[in-house]
PDB file of all heavy atoms in Angstrom:
ATOM      1  N   ALA L 111      -9.130   9.310  27.959  1.00  0.00           N
ATOM      2  CA  ALA L 111      -9.810   9.894  26.804  1.00  0.00           C
ATOM      3  C   ALA L 111      -9.464   9.079  25.554  1.00  0.00           C
ATOM      4  O   ALA L 111      -8.508   8.302  25.552  1.00  0.00           O
ATOM      5  CB  ALA L 111      -9.418  11.355  26.606  1.00  0.00           C
ATOM      6  N   PHE L 112     -10.252   9.266  24.485  1.00  0.00           N
ATOM      7  CA  PHE L 112     -10.105   8.372  23.333  1.00  0.00           C
ATOM      8  C   PHE L 112      -8.778   8.558  22.595  1.00  0.00           C
ATOM      9  O   PHE L 112      -8.384   7.696  21.809  1.00  0.00           O
ATOM     10  CB  PHE L 112     -11.306   8.522  22.384  1.00  0.00           C
ATOM     11  CG  PHE L 112     -11.057   9.357  21.159  1.00  0.00           C
ATOM     12  CD1 PHE L 112     -10.758   8.763  19.949  1.00  0.00           C
ATOM     13  CD2 PHE L 112     -11.112  10.737  21.224  1.00  0.00           C
ATOM     14  CE1 PHE L 112     -10.521   9.527  18.811  1.00  0.00           C
ATOM     15  CE2 PHE L 112     -10.888  11.507  20.098  1.00  0.00           C
ATOM     16  CZ  PHE L 112     -10.580  10.899  18.890  1.00  0.00           C
ATOM     17  N   LYS L 113      -8.058   9.665  22.839  1.00  0.00           N
ATOM     18  CA  LYS L 113      -6.764   9.869  22.198  1.00  0.00           C
ATOM     19  C   LYS L 113      -5.806   8.691  22.451  1.00  0.00           C
ATOM     20  O   LYS L 113      -4.928   8.416  21.655  1.00  0.00           O
ATOM     21  CB  LYS L 113      -6.105  11.155  22.709  1.00  0.00           C
ATOM     22  CG  LYS L 113      -6.921  12.420  22.551  1.00  0.00           C
ATOM     23  CD  LYS L 113      -6.939  12.915  21.130  1.00  0.00           C
ATOM     24  CE  LYS L 113      -7.529  14.317  20.995  1.00  0.00           C
ATOM     25  NZ  LYS L 113      -8.971  14.403  21.297  1.00  0.00           N
ATOM     26  N   ASP L 146      -6.001  17.317  26.429  1.00  0.00           N
ATOM     27  CA  ASP L 146      -6.020  15.860  26.269  1.00  0.00           C
ATOM     28  C   ASP L 146      -4.846  15.292  25.483  1.00  0.00           C
ATOM     29  O   ASP L 146      -4.259  14.280  25.851  1.00  0.00           O
ATOM     30  CB  ASP L 146      -7.310  15.423  25.557  1.00  0.00           C
ATOM     31  CG  ASP L 146      -8.508  15.495  26.480  1.00  0.00           C
ATOM     32  OD1 ASP L 146      -8.301  15.614  27.706  1.00  0.00           O
ATOM     33  OD2 ASP L 146      -9.637  15.422  25.972  1.00  0.00           O
ATOM     34  N   PRO L 266     -18.958  12.336  18.612  1.00  0.00           N
ATOM     35  CA  PRO L 266     -18.664  13.701  19.071  1.00  0.00           C
ATOM     36  C   PRO L 266     -17.403  14.193  18.355  1.00  0.00           C
ATOM     37  O   PRO L 266     -16.356  13.566  18.462  1.00  0.00           O
ATOM     38  CB  PRO L 266     -18.403  13.541  20.577  1.00  0.00           C
ATOM     39  CG  PRO L 266     -18.920  12.176  20.935  1.00  0.00           C
ATOM     40  CD  PRO L 266     -18.809  11.351  19.700  1.00  0.00           C
ATOM     41  N   THR L 267     -17.521  15.293  17.610  1.00  0.00           N
ATOM     42  CA  THR L 267     -16.484  15.616  16.636  1.00  0.00           C
ATOM     43  C   THR L 267     -15.840  16.981  16.867  1.00  0.00           C
ATOM     44  O   THR L 267     -16.525  17.947  17.211  1.00  0.00           O
ATOM     45  CB  THR L 267     -17.100  15.588  15.217  1.00  0.00           C
ATOM     46  OG1 THR L 267     -17.672  14.306  15.014  1.00  0.00           O
ATOM     47  CG2 THR L 267     -16.053  15.837  14.157  1.00  0.00           C
ATOM     48  N   GLY L 268     -14.520  17.031  16.674  1.00  0.00           N
ATOM     49  CA  GLY L 268     -13.787  18.288  16.741  1.00  0.00           C
ATOM     50  C   GLY L 268     -12.948  18.454  15.486  1.00  0.00           C
ATOM     51  O   GLY L 268     -13.278  19.181  14.560  1.00  0.00           O
ATOM     52  N   ASN L 269     -11.846  17.712  15.447  1.00  0.00           N
ATOM     53  CA  ASN L 269     -10.916  17.809  14.328  1.00  0.00           C
ATOM     54  C   ASN L 269     -11.273  16.866  13.179  1.00  0.00           C
ATOM     55  O   ASN L 269     -10.539  16.748  12.213  1.00  0.00           O
ATOM     56  CB  ASN L 269      -9.506  17.505  14.830  1.00  0.00           C
ATOM     57  CG  ASN L 269      -8.449  18.295  14.102  1.00  0.00           C
ATOM     58  OD1 ASN L 269      -8.764  19.102  13.229  1.00  0.00           O
ATOM     59  ND2 ASN L 269      -7.216  18.050  14.426  1.00  0.00           N
ATOM     60  N   PHE L 270     -12.382  16.141  13.307  1.00  0.00           N
ATOM     61  CA  PHE L 270     -12.898  15.228  12.278  1.00  0.00           C
ATOM     62  C   PHE L 270     -12.029  13.968  12.106  1.00  0.00           C
ATOM     63  O   PHE L 270     -12.146  13.251  11.127  1.00  0.00           O
ATOM     64  CB  PHE L 270     -13.032  15.948  10.922  1.00  0.00           C
ATOM     65  CG  PHE L 270     -14.142  15.413  10.053  1.00  0.00           C
ATOM     66  CD1 PHE L 270     -15.465  15.720  10.316  1.00  0.00           C
ATOM     67  CD2 PHE L 270     -13.871  14.591   8.963  1.00  0.00           C
ATOM     68  CE1 PHE L 270     -16.491  15.220   9.517  1.00  0.00           C
ATOM     69  CE2 PHE L 270     -14.896  14.086   8.155  1.00  0.00           C
ATOM     70  CZ  PHE L 270     -16.208  14.406   8.432  1.00  0.00           C
ATOM     71  N   GLY L 271     -11.152  13.682  13.084  1.00  0.00           N
ATOM     72  CA  GLY L 271     -10.307  12.488  12.963  1.00  0.00           C
ATOM     73  C   GLY L 271     -11.065  11.221  13.304  1.00  0.00           C
ATOM     74  O   GLY L 271     -11.013  10.227  12.567  1.00  0.00           O
ATOM     75  N   ASN L 272     -11.784  11.257  14.403  1.00  0.00           N
ATOM     76  CA  ASN L 272     -12.519  10.090  14.862  1.00  0.00           C
ATOM     77  C   ASN L 272     -13.573   9.666  13.836  1.00  0.00           C
ATOM     78  O   ASN L 272     -13.626   8.506  13.403  1.00  0.00           O
ATOM     79  CB  ASN L 272     -13.162  10.448  16.213  1.00  0.00           C
ATOM     80  CG  ASN L 272     -13.576   9.236  17.002  1.00  0.00           C
ATOM     81  OD1 ASN L 272     -13.454   8.095  16.545  1.00  0.00           O
ATOM     82  ND2 ASN L 272     -14.081   9.467  18.194  1.00  0.00           N
ATOM     83  N   SER L 321     -12.657  19.674  24.251  1.00  0.00           N
ATOM     84  CA  SER L 321     -11.875  18.958  23.235  1.00  0.00           C
ATOM     85  C   SER L 321     -12.535  19.035  21.866  1.00  0.00           C
ATOM     86  O   SER L 321     -11.974  18.568  20.875  1.00  0.00           O
ATOM     87  CB  SER L 321     -11.682  17.501  23.641  1.00  0.00           C
ATOM     88  OG  SER L 321     -11.109  17.449  24.926  1.00  0.00           O
ATOM     89  N   MET L 322     -13.739  19.602  21.818  1.00  0.00           N
ATOM     90  CA  MET L 322     -14.408  19.802  20.529  1.00  0.00           C
ATOM     91  C   MET L 322     -14.495  21.287  20.179  1.00  0.00           C
ATOM     92  O   MET L 322     -15.189  21.656  19.228  1.00  0.00           O
ATOM     93  CB  MET L 322     -15.816  19.204  20.591  1.00  0.00           C
ATOM     94  CG  MET L 322     -15.788  17.690  20.746  1.00  0.00           C
ATOM     95  SD  MET L 322     -17.300  17.028  21.467  1.00  0.00           S
ATOM     96  CE  MET L 322     -18.503  17.530  20.263  1.00  0.00           C
ATOM     97  N   HIS L 400     -18.553  15.332  26.460  1.00  0.00           N
ATOM     98  CA  HIS L 400     -18.445  15.118  25.014  1.00  0.00           C
ATOM     99  C   HIS L 400     -19.412  14.027  24.550  1.00  0.00           C
ATOM    100  O   HIS L 400     -20.097  14.162  23.534  1.00  0.00           O
ATOM    101  CB  HIS L 400     -17.006  14.760  24.638  1.00  0.00           C
ATOM    102  CG  HIS L 400     -16.016  15.777  25.097  1.00  0.00           C
ATOM    103  ND1 HIS L 400     -15.595  15.849  26.406  1.00  0.00           N
ATOM    104  CD2 HIS L 400     -15.381  16.781  24.440  1.00  0.00           C
ATOM    105  CE1 HIS L 400     -14.744  16.855  26.528  1.00  0.00           C
ATOM    106  NE2 HIS L 400     -14.594  17.442  25.354  1.00  0.00           N
ATOM    107  N   THR L 426     -16.063   9.434  24.140  1.00  0.00           N
ATOM    108  CA  THR L 426     -14.673   9.832  23.921  1.00  0.00           C
ATOM    109  C   THR L 426     -13.909  10.156  25.197  1.00  0.00           C
ATOM    110  O   THR L 426     -12.706  10.379  25.141  1.00  0.00           O
ATOM    111  CB  THR L 426     -14.611  11.043  22.963  1.00  0.00           C
ATOM    112  OG1 THR L 426     -15.489  12.053  23.450  1.00  0.00           O
ATOM    113  CG2 THR L 426     -15.019  10.647  21.556  1.00  0.00           C
ATOM    114  N   ALA L 427     -14.580  10.235  26.334  1.00  0.00           N
ATOM    115  CA  ALA L 427     -13.838  10.472  27.578  1.00  0.00           C
ATOM    116  C   ALA L 427     -14.569   9.854  28.756  1.00  0.00           C
ATOM    117  O   ALA L 427     -15.805   9.732  28.747  1.00  0.00           O
ATOM    118  CB  ALA L 427     -13.632  11.970  27.820  1.00  0.00           C
ATOM    119  N   PHE L 432     -13.884  14.920  32.962  1.00  0.00           N
ATOM    120  CA  PHE L 432     -14.499  16.260  32.951  1.00  0.00           C
ATOM    121  C   PHE L 432     -15.493  16.340  34.098  1.00  0.00           C
ATOM    122  O   PHE L 432     -16.644  16.739  33.946  1.00  0.00           O
ATOM    123  CB  PHE L 432     -15.127  16.525  31.580  1.00  0.00           C
ATOM    124  CG  PHE L 432     -14.079  16.552  30.500  1.00  0.00           C
ATOM    125  CD1 PHE L 432     -13.749  15.399  29.796  1.00  0.00           C
ATOM    126  CD2 PHE L 432     -13.355  17.706  30.245  1.00  0.00           C
ATOM    127  CE1 PHE L 432     -12.746  15.409  28.832  1.00  0.00           C
ATOM    128  CE2 PHE L 432     -12.351  17.728  29.290  1.00  0.00           C
ATOM    129  CZ  PHE L 432     -12.039  16.577  28.585  1.00  0.00           C
TER     130      PHE L 432
HETATM  131  C1  PLP P   1     -10.099  14.885  20.741  1.00  0.00           C
HETATM  132  C2  PLP P   1     -11.414  14.659  21.357  1.00  0.00           C
HETATM  133  C3  PLP P   1     -12.622  14.743  20.605  1.00  0.00           C
HETATM  134  C4  PLP P   1     -12.654  15.146  19.151  1.00  0.00           C
HETATM  135  O1  PLP P   1     -12.120  14.148  18.297  1.00  0.00           O
HETATM  136  P1  PLP P   1     -11.711  14.527  16.798  1.00  0.00           P
HETATM  137  O2  PLP P   1     -10.997  13.333  16.276  1.00  0.00           O
HETATM  138  O3  PLP P   1     -10.812  15.719  16.919  1.00  0.00           O
HETATM  139  O4  PLP P   1     -12.961  14.817  16.052  1.00  0.00           O
HETATM  140  C5  PLP P   1     -13.823  14.480  21.254  1.00  0.00           C
HETATM  141  N1  PLP P   1     -13.844  14.182  22.574  1.00  0.00           N
HETATM  142  C6  PLP P   1     -12.723  14.104  23.317  1.00  0.00           C
HETATM  143  C7  PLP P   1     -12.840  13.794  24.771  1.00  0.00           C
HETATM  144  C8  PLP P   1     -11.471  14.329  22.742  1.00  0.00           C
HETATM  145  O5  PLP P   1     -10.352  14.256  23.516  1.00  0.00           O
END
Side-chain angles (χ1 to χ4, degrees):
F112 102 98
K113 304 285 191 293
D146 285 346
T267 303
N269 213 2
F270 210 76
N272 198 357
S321 305
M322 294 157 61
H400 304 78
T426 51
F432 296 92

